[in-house]
Amino acid sequence: LLEGFDLVVRQRDEYLVPSILPQGKLRVSADTYCSSICTFKFITKYPKLPASFFQRVVVRVAGRVSSVQFSSTTAVFYFQGNVCTASVDSDSDGAQHLSISSSGRA
C-alpha cells in the first residue's frame, strides 16, 4: 500500500522514504555527468515548490531506474545507458528553479 502511493519505494535491497532520505550519496557534481553528454536540458521556475517536492521526485524515479546518486538538491539517475540529472535551487527573489538534463529522451 505504501509503495502504491509512492510513500516508500524499494530499490534493490533498501527502501527509500522521501521524508527520511539520507543526507546524500552524490559523490561528484552533477555537472560532471552532463556537461558534455546531456543534449536535452529543461529549466522551469516556480514561485514556491511544495515541501519535500524534490525528495518525492527522487524517490519516485529511483524506484524505476538502474542506479541513483543524490544530495538534498541534486540527483543523478542511470537507466539503460542514459544519464539524467535533476536539481532544484533558489534565486534571490525566493523563486525556485527545477533543472533537468538528460543524455537521451528514453
Side-chain angles (χ1 to χ4, degrees), residues 1-103:
L1 181 61
L2 294 175
E3 288 182 60
F5 288 100
D6 292 321
L7 298 175
V8 173
V9 174
R10 185 180 180 133
Q11 188 185 30
R12 287 177 295 287
D13 60 344
E14 67 181 351
Y15 285 92
L16 297 176
V17 181
S19 59
I20 57 169
L21 281 178
Q23 286 291 15
K25 301 189 306 190
L26 190 63
R27 294 183 228 2
V28 295
S29 167
D31 294 336
T32 302
Y33 290 97
C34 273
S35 61
S36 62
I37 63 170
C38 290
T39 57
F40 174 72
K41 297 183 192 249
F42 174 79
I43 300 173
T44 187
K45 182 176 178 178
Y46 296 95
K48 181 79 175 156
L49 289 170
S52 75
F53 169 81
F54 188 72
Q55 291 81 1
R56 288 184 176 271
V57 169
V58 169
V59 166
R60 179 173 278 189
V61 175
R64 293 164 175 82
V65 298
S66 307
S67 177
V68 62
Q69 294 181 20
F70 59 87
S71 69
S72 59
T73 60
T74 304
V76 180
F77 305 100
Y78 307 91
F79 184 70
Q80 296 180 345
N82 289 312
V83 61
C84 176
T85 65
S87 63
V88 63
D89 63 358
S90 299
D91 63 19
S92 59
D93 296 332
Q96 294 180 303
H97 301 238
L98 176 63
S99 304
I100 299 175
S101 299
S102 175
S103 62

